[in-house]
Amino acid sequence: MKIGISCYPTHGGSGVVATELGLELARRGHHVHFMCYNRPFRLERLQPNVYYHRVQVNEYPLFKYPPYSLALATAILDVTRREDLDLIHAHYAIPHSVSAWMAREMLQDRDLPIVTTLHGTDITLVGQEPSYEEITCFALRASNALTAVSEDLARATRETFCQDLVIDTIYNFVDTEIYRPERDPGLRARFAGEDEFLLAHASNFRPVKRTLDVIRIFARVARECPARLVLMGLGPDRHACEELARELGLEERVHFLDNQGSIRDLLRVADLFLLPSETESFGLVALEAMACGVPVIASEVGGLRELIDSGRNSWLCPRGDTEAFAGRAVRLFKDSTHYREISEAARQTAIERFTPQTIVPQYEAVYRRVIEQKSS
Ligand code: GMT
């Protein structure tokens, strides 16, 4: 198939899933055309069957807000005509599926099936804002197929927009050959001593991630165990986290790193991953940590409940209950047998349920369905 993908190229789950999916589809022989305002950050090198089309957004003094959605629609139209695309896969509803619909309307001589994947905040936060709600609902209805990254997100979408929306759940995935336990002792030594536990967190530091909770949880853990914390990523709450770490006298024990091209090596040297989010439609980073054999303690919210079987392959705690998170971490560190069991079960979950081999064919089946429906 010739597949167009539009997504956010920045560090964030939806862009990562879109990019990894595109790369996997290309390995399976499909031709994949990415359309974004920048090269997606995990698309460092182009591989056979992968093409990148930069969406050019021209600045003009009249435009306080350059109309990216229009430029994207034009790019989709142009690439569809030139490359004879079979379909367009929009990742994150706003504005990608709206632009795809515009392109389809402009194509006069042929049709263009649209598959929209809902990733989370496009429905749970942004999509519910008054200025976007109607158009998000419209774009969902205009799509030929909708997928959501968890049952929970599919349910929330139907509740928010319309009960009769048909949505396939297709979970996030991870390449367990690449994300596997393998420690680089030199890298670990940069962050923690041999007798210390290393906790990790990675995100875009948006309020929805509750990153201040990460610092509070760590402060409580560090009172009971020798421990260090590494935080990866940039975003609005990053500065407040640095301040809080200083106020709590933890600056020597907490390492702040900027966005990483690959977080894999850092995940592998951690002993525990913290994800105390307000909401999380799936929690891709939790899955990546689990694939590396790193247990996760996460909020009992959203799609995390479909990934984590609490007490078996990682742990869920009530959102905002930093005491519960910290208590769980300390108990895990003090029981090495239980720690090993959880670590192995975490990796096993990734292998059994969330590999590209299991997940990517589900997207291919959706593509075939929409193409067949269109041609009949
Ligand atoms: O976590 C974010 O805010 C980034 C966001 C995105 O769209 O880039 O991630 C969402 O999509 C990921 C991939 O499907 C999911 O694993 C994340 O759980 C989801 N984030 C939230 O729901 C907050």
Side-chain angles (χ1 to χ4, degrees), residues 263-329:
I263 58 169
R264 181 201 62 177
D265 294 343
L266 287 154
L267 286 177
R268 283 167 160 183
V269 298
D271 298 307
L272 182 68
F273 190 86
L274 297 174
L275 194 61
S277 307
E278 182 71 22
T279 67
E280 202 65 67
S281 61
F282 181 85
L284 175 62
V285 69
L287 173 62
E288 289 175 338
M290 289 165 72
C292 294
V294 177
V296 175
I297 307 183
S299 296
E300 192 166 11
V301 295
L304 284 166
R305 294 169 296 185
E306 292 161 52
L307 168 66
I308 295 178
D309 179 2
S310 192
R312 195 187 65 79
N313 60 10
S314 275
W315 288 96
L316 294 170
C317 288
R319 167 178 48 203
D321 190 344
T322 53
E323 280 293 309
F325 274 75
R328 181 55 64 204

Side-chain angles (χ1 to χ4, degrees), residues 12-14 92 119 149 172 204 206 209 279-284:
S14 61
Y92 205 93
H119 281 275
V149 297
N172 288 175
N204 46 32
R206 297 202 189 116
K209 298 293 175 182
T279 67
E280 202 65 67
S281 61
F282 181 85
L284 175 62

Side-chain angles (χ1 to χ4, degrees), residues 8 10-18 91-92 117-122 124-125 148-150 153 170-172 202-204 206 208-209 275 277-286 303-304 363:
Y8 285 107
T10 44
H11 292 79
S14 61
V16 171
V17 170
H91 285 264
Y92 205 93
T117 289
L118 312 170
H119 281 275
T121 48
D122 45 352
T124 55
L125 293 176
V149 297
S150 61
L153 181 61
I170 305 184
Y171 290 121
N172 288 175
S203 73
N204 46 32
R206 297 202 189 116
V208 69
K209 298 293 175 182
L275 194 61
S277 307
E278 182 71 22
T279 67
E280 202 65 67
S281 61
F282 181 85
L284 175 62
V285 69
L304 284 166
Y363 281 113

